[in-house]
Amino acid sequence: MITQTMVQPSSWVEGSIQLQKVRGLNLFKFTDELQARLETLIDRQKTDILTPEETAELAGITELDRIFTLVNARIIAES
């Protein structure tokens, strides 16, 4: 197993996450600011210019994205 340093995903829950009503269901979504930051970090990763701090930030945001994808999928499946 490879150990990876990341910013804790919970650090973005307060203030960077919103609920959005989609077809009558409340789904979790990143704020526009957090989504833009994710896209910026992905672009920087593609050009191989991420700092170690940005790599940790990207890992945390990506993990949070995976969690919300799973939670949203369950909300949809159970509706």
Side-chain angles (χ1 to χ4, degrees):
M1 178 167 78
I2 298 173
T3 303
Q4 180 177 10
T5 303
M6 78 170 149
V7 175
Q8 290 297 317
S10 59
S11 66
W12 289 287
V13 171
E14 188 67 35
S16 296
I17 304 301
Q18 58 191 6
L19 286 174
Q20 181 177 18
K21 192 166 284 282
V22 178
R23 297 183 195 164
L25 300 172
N26 287 317
L27 301 178
F28 292 96
K29 181 181 182 281
F30 290 169
T31 59
D32 291 341
E33 294 80 15
L34 185 57
Q35 184 64 42
R37 181 63 178 156
L38 173 60
E39 292 169 11
T40 297
L41 292 170
I42 290 170
D43 289 343
R44 289 178 58 81
Q45 181 184 42
K46 288 177 185 175
T47 59
D48 202 29
I49 58 172
L50 280 179
T51 66
E53 293 81 12
E54 289 172 327
T55 300
E57 185 180 5
L58 178 58
I61 296 172
T62 302
E63 182 64 16
L64 187 60
D65 186 49
R66 284 188 204 115
I67 292 166
F68 284 143
T69 298
L70 175 61
V71 170
N72 286 339
R74 287 190 179 181
I75 290 170
I76 292 167
E78 293 177 4
S79 67

